[in-house]
Amino acid sequence: MEKISGMGKETSEISDHIKLHIENGKILSLKTHRVSKSVEEHIKEAVGLILDRLTYPTLVPTLYTIIKELAINACKANQKRVFFEERGYSMLNPSEYAKGVREYREMFSEEMSNEFGIKAKKKGYYCLINFKYNDDGIIIEVINNTPIAKEEEKSIRERLEKGMMYDDIAQFYIDNADTSEGAGLGLALILIMLKGEGIDPNFFRIIIGEDSTIARLEIPLSEKFISRRDSNEP
């Protein structure tokens, strides 16, 4: 992993699929097209630096797991968009959407992820992880610049509702062992993990725009923290 040194602002190309924005030695954003081992290492490094500075090192495993899950979801959404485009399937047509998702899941593999990550980059699709923090709290956004289908939006809302119903990860797994949702259950698990850390799960939001999807996690560290929800920011 390339080491960044020096002060001030800089943007660094770590590899052909990772770009970092650094300020005063701290990672403020990470842009990628697939979640490789190197991307995972940079996520872990950023989380460690932030939480060490804010003296909350015990949150590192939870926060790292959540960001990694969100980044994987974002990259897969972009890759799925490429898959649909190549096969001429419309994400607005329910029957074509269902067929495309089924085929994508049946074909998905690590090799395919790498291949479609490269294709996503060529088409201008990306996953951007933004880190903002101060002594009062942390805001992390995982953004992918592709819209999602209505069916997918409905599924996301259902997963989040399911996550709000549980406080115990073990019980959640027992009750959902036979589900067909697969990796999508990660969204529900995020809410359960936040509850386990004593963080209000309402600080986690999925914001769906016309041409992007934003997963935003806010972590208050003091009573002075102002949620973007409370400040009426989008």
Side-chain angles (χ1 to χ4, degrees):
M1 183 171 61
E2 179 179 331
K3 295 296 183 181
I4 306 297
S5 61
M7 303 294 283
K9 300 179 180 179
E10 65 175 287
T11 298
S12 179
E13 293 276 0
I14 299 300
S15 71
D16 63 349
H17 74 285
I18 304 175
K19 181 183 290 184
L20 296 180
H21 175 59
I22 309 290
E23 185 171 334
N24 295 329
K26 305 294 184 182
I27 299 173
L28 297 185
S29 69
L30 184 158
K31 186 176 183 180
T32 188
H33 312 277
R34 67 183 191 275
V35 179
S36 63
K37 289 296 182 183
S38 182
V39 170
E40 292 177 10
E41 290 173 359
H42 281 93
I43 292 173
K44 187 176 294 185
E45 179 185 8
V47 171
L49 287 170
I50 292 170
L51 293 178
D52 182 61
R53 177 186 179 278
L54 299 176
T55 64
Y56 282 86
T58 57
L59 272 177
V60 170
T62 296
L63 197 51
Y64 165 71
T65 301
I66 289 174
I67 297 172
K68 177 182 172 181
E69 174 69 23
L70 294 174
I72 289 172
N73 286 351
C75 289
K76 282 186 175 179
N78 291 342
Q79 293 167 17
K80 184 168 66 178
R81 165 70 59 166
V82 175
F83 183 85
F84 272 60
E85 290 175 352
E86 288 189 348
R87 282 155 180 75
Y89 293 152
S90 171
M91 299 191 79
L92 302 178
N93 183 305
S95 61
E96 289 188 10
Y97 177 80
K99 181 180 180 181
V101 168
R102 184 172 60 253
E103 291 182 7
Y104 178 77
R105 287 176 178 169
E106 290 173 352
M107 295 176 61
F108 186 80
S109 65
E110 188 65 31
E111 183 179 345
M112 179 179 172
S113 176
N114 292 333
E115 174 190 350
F116 276 77
I118 294 171
K119 290 180 178 181
K121 179 181 180 181
K122 290 180 178 179
K123 287 180 172 286
Y125 301 149
Y126 59 79
C127 165
L128 180 66
I129 306 172
N130 288 329
F131 301 91
K132 299 179 181 178
Y133 61 95
N134 56 35
D135 291 339
D136 296 325
I138 306 167
I139 299 176
I140 296 166
E141 293 183 335
V142 180
I143 305 164
N144 65 294
N145 63 331
T146 56
I148 64 174
K150 289 295 182 182
E151 287 79 3
E152 184 69 16
E153 181 177 355
K154 179 182 177 183
S155 179
I156 286 174
R157 301 304 177 196
E158 289 174 351
R159 293 168 198 163
L160 292 175
E161 287 179 12
K162 181 174 287 187
M164 293 296 278
M165 296 166 57
Y166 288 85
D167 295 315
D168 183 78
I169 290 180
Q171 188 61 48
F172 176 82
Y173 272 120
I174 291 171
D175 293 348
N176 295 277
D178 299 325
T179 182
S180 61
E181 289 297 327
L185 290 175
L187 291 177
L189 288 172
I190 285 172
L191 300 184
I192 299 171
M193 285 189 287
L194 290 175
K195 292 178 186 178
E197 295 289 353
I199 299 170
D200 185 345
N202 287 303
F203 281 114
F204 176 67
R205 298 179 65 192
I206 301 289
I207 303 153
I208 298 170
E210 292 184 4
D211 55 5
S212 68
T213 304
I214 302 172
R216 179 186 298 149
L217 174 60
E218 299 178 303
I219 301 178
L221 299 177
S222 82
E223 295 181 355
K224 295 180 181 179
F225 179 77
I226 300 177
S227 169
R228 292 184 64 172
R229 271 185 157 177
D230 297 335
S231 64
N232 295 318
E233 290 189 59

